[in-house]
Amino acid sequence: MNENIIEGRNAVLEAFRSGRPVDKLYVLDGCQDGPVKSIIREAKKRNTILRFVDKERLNQLSETGKHQGVVAFAAAYEYAEVSDMMKLARDKGEDPFFFLLDGIEDPYNLGAVIRTANLAGAHGGIIP
């Protein structure tokens, strides 16, 4: 099972409240009850990518089949601030070298870009 997939209302809400970085949240389209509204509110506070999808799509994303109308994808890595990456370059005595990414939705493409940038000596990547 993928440890970055979080399913179920309580689990997703706890992930947000604990401060765990969440990249994307998929919510059953039309579901507007109290717990789901709380989850959406938390996602918006943290600028999480929010997608409203049909039940079939949620079933495809779910590994347990018990998604309760919400599936979240937690960040695989801890994020850093641009200032941290600038410090890394400064500590190495190098000019800063960053890569900027926008609009990449496929995690395999993102992974390929990150691996290539790492091999090229980049100090970090900036994503929305």
Side-chain angles (χ1 to χ4, degrees), residues 24 26 49 51 101-115:
K24 282 188 181 180
Y26 293 87
I49 296 170
R51 302 266 196 256
L101 297 169
D102 187 24
I104 294 181
E105 293 189 14
D106 184 339
Y108 296 106
N109 290 342
L110 178 60
V113 171
I114 290 171
R115 287 188 297 277

Side-chain angles (χ1 to χ4, degrees), residues 51-83:
R51 302 266 196 256
F52 292 94
V53 296
D54 60 23
K55 188 173 183 177
E56 183 178 317
R57 179 67 176 136
L58 279 177
N59 289 339
Q60 290 171 348
L61 295 169
S62 174
E63 292 185 338
T64 66
K66 300 175 183 175
H67 53 73
Q68 299 175 316
V70 291
V71 174
F73 285 82
Y77 298 97
E78 182 121 0
Y79 294 108
E81 298 293 324
V82 174
S83 59

